[in-house]
């Protein structure tokens, strides 16, 4: 797997053929057809609140693991068994690196076979790319509802502003979309989206990304 991996930038733009973003003479987007793509973002230049919200929600050990999280997988299996499901179905305990591997390379493969391929690919990606590069691929390829592909497009779609300027509650709402983009899209059901954002803010607070005062202000 390692020998087949291209330069990280090759994996960042996931637009399908026929996706067109139209800009006026000042460079401002005024319409799009197909997936909306606001442009490539970098995990080091997006709003820190967005980076923290995504890591807190999707993979709190992202910066310390080597592609997979045995603790996360075991925890997910326990959750599935308590819910009466097959231990390998439902909550998967996937790291952000595994999610990138799934989206980029194995999206058309069914669950168990995909999981078996995800693990060595995640390990290869951790050897090939930096953590920032993996997170950048994730930020640019995530589908976030309402035709928005990537966090820059989602930030423009829902808030009319660049991803670099998001505040904590806005970042939490976007990070909350990752689990179910259509269900939690604020354009679909605002109250449900706000409730999901509160859950993300709680995780950010518990993991030390927000102080007590910042958390209270963001929830309000």
């Amino acid at each position: 797997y390692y020998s087949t991996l291209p330069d990280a930038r090759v994996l960042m733009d996931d637009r399908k053929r026929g996706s067109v973003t139209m800009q006026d003479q000042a460079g401002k987007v005024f319409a799009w057809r197909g997936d909306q793509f606001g442009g490539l973002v970098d995990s080091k230049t997006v709003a820190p609140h967005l980076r923290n919200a995504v890591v807190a929600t999707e993979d709190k050990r992202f910066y310390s693991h080597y592609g997979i999280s045995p603790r996360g997988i075991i925890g997910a299996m326990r959750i599935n068994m308590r819910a009466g499901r097959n231990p390998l179905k439902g909550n998967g305990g996937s790291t952000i690196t595994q999610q990138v591997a799934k989206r980029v390379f194995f999206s058309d493969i069914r669950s168990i076979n995909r999981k078996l391929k995800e693990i060595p690919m995640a390990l290869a990606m951790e050897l090939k790319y930096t953590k920032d590069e993996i997170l950048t691929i994730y930020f640019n390829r995530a589908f976030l509802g309402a035709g928005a592909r990537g966090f820059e497009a989602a930030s423009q779609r829902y808030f009319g502003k660049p991803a670099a300027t998001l505040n904590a509650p806005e970042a939490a709402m976007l990070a909350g979309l990752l689990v179910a983009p259509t269900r939690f899209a604020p354009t679909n059901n605002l109250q449900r989206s706000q409730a999901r954002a509160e859950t993300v803010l709680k995780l950010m607070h518990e993991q030390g990304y927000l102080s007590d005062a910042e958390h209270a202000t963001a929830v309000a």
Side-chain angles (χ1 to χ4, degrees), residues 1-2 68 114-125:
Y1 282 142
Y2 179 88
I68 62 173
R114 184 178 66 210
K115 187 67 70 177
L116 292 173
K117 292 175 180 292
E118 273 176 30
I119 292 174
M121 180 59 83
L123 296 172
M125 291 178 70

Side-chain angles (χ1 to χ4, degrees), residues 32-87:
W32 68 89
R33 295 293 179 269
D35 290 341
Q36 181 189 2
F37 188 76
L40 289 174
V41 295
D42 191 299
S43 65
K44 292 182 286 190
T45 59
V46 298
H49 285 308
L50 179 59
R51 186 169 56 250
N52 295 339
V54 170
V55 171
T57 308
E58 294 297 308
D59 186 0
K60 65 182 180 181
R61 299 184 187 91
F62 174 68
Y63 289 108
S64 60
H65 66 59
Y66 45 86
I68 62 173
S69 174
R71 289 171 63 185
I73 293 170
I74 292 169
M77 291 172 69
R78 285 177 178 158
I79 291 170
N80 293 335
M81 291 170 70
R82 285 181 192 142
R85 296 189 296 260
N86 182 303

Side-chain angles (χ1 to χ4, degrees), residues 50 54 138-139 142 144 149-156 163 174-175 178:
L50 179 59
V54 170
Y138 190 70
F139 279 172
L144 296 160
R149 182 75 60 180
F151 277 96
E152 182 64 23
S155 183
Q156 296 285 356
L174 292 190
L178 288 164

